[in-house]
Amino acid sequence: MSGDHFHNDSQIDSGSRHNDSHKHKDKYKDKEHKHKDHKKDKEREKSKYSNSEHRDSSDKKHRDKDKERLKLKDGSSDKQKDKHREKKKEERSFDGKPKKEKENGFESPFIKSEPENDGFYHSPKHEKSLKRERDDDDAEFKPKKIKTEESEKKAKKRKQEEEITNVLVPALCTAVLVACVGMLVYILPSLCFFIPFRWEEERYTDGVKWKFLEHKGPVFAPPYEPLPSNVKFYYDGKHMKLSPGAEEVATFFAKMLDHEYTTKDVFRKNFFKDWRKEMTSEEKSKLTDLNKCDFSEMSEYFKAQSEARKAMTKEEKLKIKEENERLLQEYGFCIMDNHKERIANFRIEPPGLFRGRGDHPKMGMLKRRIRPEDIIINCSKDSKYPKPPPGTKWKEVRHDNKVTWLVSWTENIQGSIKYIMLNPSSRIKGEKDWQKYEMARRLKKCVDRIRAQYREDWKSKEMRIRQRAVALYFIDKLALRAGNEKEEGETADTVGCCSLRVEHLTLHQEMDGQEYVVEFDFLGKDSIRYYNKVPVEKRVFKNLQLFMEDKEPEDDLFDRLNTSILNKHLQELMDGLTAKVFRTYNASITLQQQLNELTSSEDNVPAKILSYNRANRAVAILCNHQRAPPKTFEKSMQNLQTKIDAKKEQLADAKRELKSAKADAKVRRDEKSKKAVESKKKAVQRIEEQLMKLEVQATDREENKQIALGTSKLNYLDPRISVAWCKKFGIPIEKIYNKTQREKFAWAIDMAEKDYEF
DNA sequence: TGAGGAACTTAGGAAGAAGCGT
DNA sequence: ACGCTTCTTCCTAAGTTCCTCA
């Protein structure tokens, strides 16, 4: 790992899901304090400062703090503004580029070849000829021509212009003719770059995402099928026939009966509340206690059904498969700008019980069935609109080409909007992905300056600037997420950098022989625990002491900071920079460094892949991508060990045989026995290789027990690094990326050569 | 300036499919 | 061919960021 990114292994060892530690739950419960009460915070700060002047200053620690406070007092906002102005100037001169880059104005590898015989362009197929100079830093934002009717017109026009130039220049300057023509031929291609319009630029300015969009709309969840009459529900031991509405919701609960969820108070309470809403008034008056409800027959019925599904004959299974395939073919694709593209999620989410992650206050609530009347369709005006199911209507059909979604609806749990969008292999997603990594590479070019800046800001007179600088340091060093504020009681209590609270940090002046150690313990996204002990610089440590002073555990650590302030600041440091770019940058740069460090060209393929996985793992640890250890982990580890032992024995046998063959050959000295020695030798070699492969596998698996590699691979690692690595070391790309991943990263596979550098 | 909404990316777990050893 | 394991795909929740409006 790069020295920059200290990450204690104990984080993984001791990391556990929220559910496992009640510590958090108890701590966060019954919270009366409001973190967002800024008035109060400001007042507290005021009084803090005035108090400090009366304090006994004999203690050195206090003296230091008081000094810092006095310094902070002087900060004036006007000065600060001037500083910003200066910074802006600096930014311009730093990379010598104008501030605003063209939106989407980068060279696209998503250029499709001639239509295939079904009349569509198939993504992702790229013309080989496009490979040139793409990895060039300077080339990264050049637009690229794409064949369409429009662009063909423009190409014609351009050609005419070129012809004029080509004809006129020699006619006028016969004297320098030879030289000029030579030059012109050389210069013309680059002149073309300045011709003002290009296909993409014209299409994609002002946030336009497409010109044509046609699709078939969503696939709705299958309607509810009432239970057969022999499957009964009991209340208080007595059989009770439920109305269809109530029965459907009951089956949602019954299907989850084996899950831990259904034992949780919050889940049961929310479920019962929502269930009652679906009951008839008669049912409502009868069913008053969930504990008296007996869903076991329903549960058994569903279990039996799933068993039956597993036991289906081949033909039946094939029939289902074919039906799914038909649905995919009909609804799974759309046409966007002449290309047939795969849709990511064309099925509407079926009704059910909401399963939040961690301690979610809304777990168990009823996720209602989505009807056509809830659906907004987005497509182009001149397309064939999708038809709603017979007898129904869409909520709306709109034609907004500044967004990428095809279908949307509002979900009833959080009131948020859900979308149907394209697959990661699509042009629109791929280009965005590429842009993301280009942004991270731009950060690479100025990260030193930004680091110097935030280190300088640790000394600032203004509290808000110090907080901003320390937070940015965490985001950079520890790859923390930005940490938006969340509405209390609406979601699980999780935090990111800006929303850290005092209770999430413990400061240790000295710990395990290291100075200034900060112990982090909080729940991040998806209620995954982040636990890490990090030695920090003295100045950061002192600042943290200052931030935490006179605060309650449940107070915000950075009370003068939020993600919007932080991102505004980042925007000033580099155009387009946001907190999340640091995660992408640090992940990708770590992969590259690790690959360079770990791979040796003498290794065989499995050893090289182990190195790759280890590099990938370093990133996953940095980003805290955890997983629950697979249920069968111990067992499968044992199985592997058994295999290894067997292989070792086999090797010993083979060696013994080889030895005796050699002895035999020494005595006999004939061709036949020589051959026998050779074949035994080969056998030993083969078994040794097999053994090594197994051992590597075991190491890999053990190290991977609680770490999820997929998330970083899919979202944080510039695929061009991996592609280049494969090319450099002769590893087939299939060993690193499976089919889906290769589709998603087609742009990178197409463009990256072995010398690509992030 | 801050709240709320919209759009889009990132995330881990469950279900389903494929592969492998017996 | 069968049963178990592992890999892949699907699912949808939970983040970030940007925009709009008061």
Side-chain angles (χ1 to χ4, degrees):
Chain A
M1 259 305 265
S2 71
D4 224 345
H5 292 104
F6 176 87
H7 210 95
N8 201 321
D9 285 343
S10 64
Q11 183 189 327
I12 295 306
D13 295 333
S14 56
S16 64
R17 215 43 55 95
H18 179 212
N19 317 1
D20 302 335
S21 82
H22 299 288
K23 195 175 116 199
H24 289 284
K25 194 170 144 193
D26 298 340
K27 242 204 253 179
Y28 301 154
K29 245 191 209 169
D30 304 328
K31 207 186 323 163
E32 280 178 19
H33 195 95
K34 275 188 189 162
H35 322 288
K36 289 159 205 161
D37 197 343
H38 284 284
K39 241 190 210 168
K40 202 172 134 197
D41 287 353
K42 268 178 202 163
E43 258 173 47
R44 186 177 52 219
E45 186 135 344
K46 248 193 241 164
S47 69
K48 191 164 82 181
Y49 289 171
S50 52
N51 285 344
S52 71
E53 283 170 14
H54 301 289
R55 228 189 252 160
D56 176 11
S57 58
S58 59
D59 184 281
K60 194 191 172 294
K61 205 169 107 194
H62 279 136
R63 235 185 294 140
D64 285 348
K65 272 182 206 159
D66 287 349
K67 255 192 233 164
E68 297 208 327
R69 260 186 233 113
L70 284 171
K71 269 193 248 163
L72 285 168
K73 263 176 156 183
D74 303 339
S76 88
S77 54
D78 278 342
K79 268 186 198 167
Q80 211 43 44
K81 273 179 199 161
D82 289 340
K83 222 177 176 181
H84 281 315
R85 256 174 250 142
E86 271 171 36
K87 233 185 276 160
K88 269 190 182 169
K89 264 189 237 164
E90 232 177 78
E91 155 71 23
R92 267 194 208 94
S93 53
F94 180 76
D95 49 25
K97 273 185 197 166
K99 282 281 279 182
K100 189 79 191 162
E101 303 259 26
K102 277 173 282 174
E103 190 197 3
N104 268 313
F106 64 99
E107 186 185 8
S108 171
F110 291 85
I111 296 163
K112 315 295 158 82
S113 42
E114 291 303 305
E116 305 224 331
N117 45 18
D118 61 359
F120 292 123
Y121 297 84
H122 286 252
S123 170
K125 282 192 179 162
H126 315 299
E127 285 177 43
K128 280 285 164 211
S129 62
L130 291 167
K131 274 188 177 171
R132 67 209 143 79
E133 72 173 30
R134 274 201 204 115
D135 301 334
D136 240 324
D137 281 359
D138 299 330
E140 63 195 43
F141 286 102
K142 277 185 203 163
K144 192 83 188 188
K145 192 176 75 181
I146 296 181
K147 257 194 200 170
T148 66
E149 280 181 15
E150 278 166 298
S151 73
E152 264 167 21
K153 267 189 221 161
K154 274 156 209 161
K156 256 186 206 167
K157 205 173 159 190
R158 205 156 46 228
K159 234 181 187 173
Q160 282 173 357
E161 285 168 17
E162 284 166 24
E163 275 166 18
I164 292 169
T165 326
N166 275 329
V167 173
L168 279 182
V169 171
L172 290 171
C173 324
T174 23
V176 278
L177 182 75
V178 179
C180 270
V181 171
M183 285 279 280
L184 209 72
V185 169
Y186 188 70
I187 292 169
L188 253 178
S190 53
L191 277 181
C192 290
F193 173 64
F194 294 106
I195 292 173
F197 41 76
R198 282 283 162 112
W199 185 85
E200 258 194 303
E201 248 178 291
E202 200 197 39
R203 281 178 91 98
Y204 287 40
T205 45
D206 299 327
V208 170
K209 303 283 167 49
W210 46 262
K211 281 274 164 77
F212 182 81
L213 174 61
E214 183 170 290
H215 59 92
K216 289 289 190 72
V219 171
F220 288 92
Y224 176 64
E225 275 181 45
L227 292 170
S229 54
N230 62 329
V231 180
K232 291 178 182 128
F233 167 78
Y234 300 91
Y235 185 73
D236 210 6
K238 282 186 260 306
H239 168 227
M240 189 173 162
K241 174 78 187 157
L242 295 171
S243 65
E247 186 188 86
E248 180 177 9
V249 178
T251 63
F252 299 153
F253 192 84
K255 280 178 185 165
M256 297 173 78
L257 221 50
D258 283 341
H259 204 287
E260 202 204 334
Y261 272 117
T262 53
T263 63
K264 293 187 178 178
D265 270 358
V266 180
F267 190 95
R268 295 174 72 87
K269 219 179 113 221
N270 285 334
F271 161 71
F272 197 56
K273 193 175 159 206
D274 281 2
W275 186 26
R276 287 178 60 80
K277 289 180 199 159
E278 304 300 314
M279 293 177 188
T280 61
S281 49
E282 194 192 341
E283 284 165 341
K284 238 185 240 175
S285 63
K286 273 190 187 167
L287 302 173
T288 53
D289 185 359
L290 180 58
N291 293 318
K292 290 180 181 166
C293 295
D294 179 359
F295 302 93
S296 54
E297 266 189 30
M298 289 187 191
S299 175
E300 291 305 319
Y301 170 72
F302 291 121
K303 269 186 223 161
Q305 272 206 325
S306 102
E307 284 306 310
R309 246 196 319 273
K310 273 182 212 158
M312 275 186 311
T313 63
K314 258 192 219 154
E315 291 74 37
E316 288 169 315
K317 280 183 182 169
L318 191 70
K319 216 175 150 193
I320 291 175
K321 207 176 166 185
E322 276 169 357
E323 172 60 16
N324 279 335
E325 183 60 27
R326 192 190 63 76
L327 228 54
L328 172 70
Q329 288 308 323
E330 183 170 0
Y331 294 97
F333 295 86
C334 73
I335 302 162
M336 187 178 268
D337 293 344
N338 291 323
H339 307 297
K340 185 175 172 183
E341 304 262 34
R342 179 87 191 263
I343 297 168
N345 54 325
F346 57 91
R347 283 169 210 271
I348 297 282
E349 294 172 19
L353 303 183
F354 176 76
R355 310 151 88 117
R357 316 229 169 107
D359 260 333
H360 198 117
K362 297 194 171 184
M363 64 167 83
M365 280 174 67
L366 175 64
K367 235 177 82 161
R368 51 161 250 276
R369 180 178 290 274
I370 304 301
R371 306 151 303 153
E373 290 76 13
D374 303 314
I375 296 289
I376 301 175
I377 297 287
N378 193 32
C379 62
S380 40
K381 254 184 202 147
D382 56 346
S383 72
K384 238 196 260 164
Y385 302 175
K387 281 196 205 72
T392 66
K393 273 197 284 191
W394 302 124
K395 179 180 182 183
E396 184 191 337
V397 176
R398 66 170 75 156
H399 314 288
D400 182 357
N401 70 354
K402 296 194 173 172
V403 295
T404 66
W405 54 267
L406 323 183
V407 173
S408 77
W409 71 94
T410 303
E411 150 267 3
N412 68 304
I413 304 288
Q414 324 263 9
S416 64
I417 307 171
K418 299 253 181 171
Y419 304 93
I420 291 183
M421 290 186 190
L422 295 193
N423 202 51
S425 65
S426 60
R427 189 215 87 220
I428 211 155
K429 294 286 181 192
E431 277 183 357
K432 202 78 190 296
D433 208 33
W434 182 21
Q435 267 185 315
K436 175 180 78 188
Y437 293 112
E438 287 308 305
M439 186 63 77
R441 289 175 88 199
R442 277 176 56 206
L443 174 58
K444 185 192 176 191
K445 288 183 195 158
C446 60
V447 74
D448 289 340
R449 173 177 56 97
I450 289 169
R451 283 175 177 159
Q453 167 87 64
Y454 69 61
R455 298 173 69 87
E456 198 53 39
D457 286 346
W458 292 341
K459 299 182 255 176
S460 168
K461 287 172 184 168
E462 282 189 83
M463 180 61 108
R464 60 177 188 97
I465 292 177
R466 285 197 189 202
Q467 292 195 354
R468 199 179 67 192
V470 171
L472 186 50
Y473 169 72
F474 286 162
I475 284 172
D476 183 21
K477 184 185 170 76
L478 304 173
L480 299 190
R481 296 186 185 84
N484 285 304
E485 289 161 80
K486 298 170 80 187
E487 237 176 293
E488 240 173 298
E490 292 294 300
T491 56
D493 180 18
T494 63
V495 297
C497 186
C498 294
S499 49
L500 278 170
R501 298 194 294 266
V502 171
E503 62 195 332
H504 298 131
L505 278 76
T506 316
L507 304 183
H508 304 275
Q509 198 83 30
E510 199 257 298
M511 189 188 214
D512 308 328
Q514 288 172 308
E515 275 189 313
Y516 309 118
V517 176
V518 182
E519 189 180 355
F520 290 86
D521 192 352
F522 61 89
L523 298 179
K525 183 177 179 180
D526 293 323
S527 293
I528 297 289
R529 184 181 180 200
Y530 183 92
Y531 182 81
N532 200 2
K533 285 178 259 180
V534 198
V536 299
E537 298 193 37
K538 184 176 175 183
R539 205 156 244 134
V540 171
F541 196 83
K542 293 287 169 194
N543 269 316
L544 288 171
Q545 284 179 327
L546 184 70
F547 303 160
M548 290 164 85
E549 196 173 69
D550 291 336
K551 282 189 193 168
E552 299 296 318
E554 61 272 26
D555 286 343
D556 285 340
L557 175 69
F558 302 118
D559 52 298
R560 300 300 180 84
L561 185 70
N562 60 38
T563 52
S564 140
I565 294 171
L566 180 67
N567 279 335
K568 245 173 225 156
H569 172 63
L570 292 176
Q571 199 62 235
E572 283 164 5
L573 296 177
M574 187 190 106
D575 191 33
L577 186 62
T578 62
K580 107 187 166 79
V581 180
F582 279 88
R583 244 166 109 81
T584 314
Y585 160 70
N586 278 312
S588 285
I589 201 79
T590 302
L591 177 77
Q592 189 169 75
Q593 282 166 357
Q594 288 291 298
L595 284 177
N596 285 341
E597 257 171 60
L598 298 174
T599 330
S600 64
S601 35
E602 302 92 65
D603 280 349
N604 58 16
V605 173
K608 280 177 185 157
I609 289 170
L610 177 64
S611 297
Y612 181 90
N613 286 340
R614 282 186 162 155
N616 192 166
R617 195 139 51 228
V619 177
I621 290 170
L622 175 69
C623 295
N624 199 37
H625 291 144
Q626 296 190 38
R627 63 165 184 176
K631 278 171 210 138
T632 54
F633 185 83
E634 291 308 327
K635 206 172 135 203
S636 85
M637 219 49 214
Q638 258 173 20
N639 288 351
L640 198 55
Q641 194 53 52
T642 320
K643 267 192 207 167
I644 289 173
D645 292 343
K647 200 47 89 179
K648 275 181 182 165
E649 232 161 77
Q650 200 187 342
L651 181 65
D653 286 347
K655 277 184 175 168
R656 233 174 282 129
E657 279 176 39
L658 173 63
K659 210 175 169 185
S660 71
K662 272 182 180 167
D664 195 38
K666 224 176 185 177
V667 179
R668 290 216 212 160
R669 293 175 179 277
D670 61 352
E671 272 308 303
K672 201 180 160 192
S673 55
K674 260 189 198 168
K675 265 188 183 163
V677 170
E678 280 311 304
S679 78
K680 296 287 176 202
K681 251 189 197 165
K682 271 187 189 152
V684 168
Q685 250 175 21
R686 202 182 55 236
I687 295 165
E688 269 175 342
E689 254 170 49
Q690 287 168 340
L691 177 63
M692 147 122 187
K693 213 172 162 181
L694 285 173
E695 278 174 335
V696 162
Q697 206 184 341
T699 315
D700 210 17
R701 197 179 296 175
E702 184 62 49
E703 288 176 358
N704 235 19
K705 187 177 177 183
Q706 298 181 69
I707 301 167
L709 299 186
T711 308
S712 51
K713 203 180 205 176
L714 237 47
N715 301 300
Y716 289 104
L717 302 176
D718 183 343
R720 290 169 294 183
I721 299 169
S722 304
V723 173
W725 180 85
C726 282
K727 286 190 174 163
K728 192 171 167 192
F729 293 103
I731 309 289
I733 193 80
E734 296 77 27
K735 300 267 182 195
I736 299 299
Y737 291 137
N738 68 29
K739 186 169 148 276
T740 321
Q741 293 163 339
R742 290 198 300 279
E743 276 168 16
K744 167 167 178 168
F745 297 134
W747 59 271
I749 293 168
D750 190 42
M751 71 164 76
E753 295 299 343
K754 68 172 190 288
D755 55 352
Y756 173 80
E757 219 191 296
F758 174 74

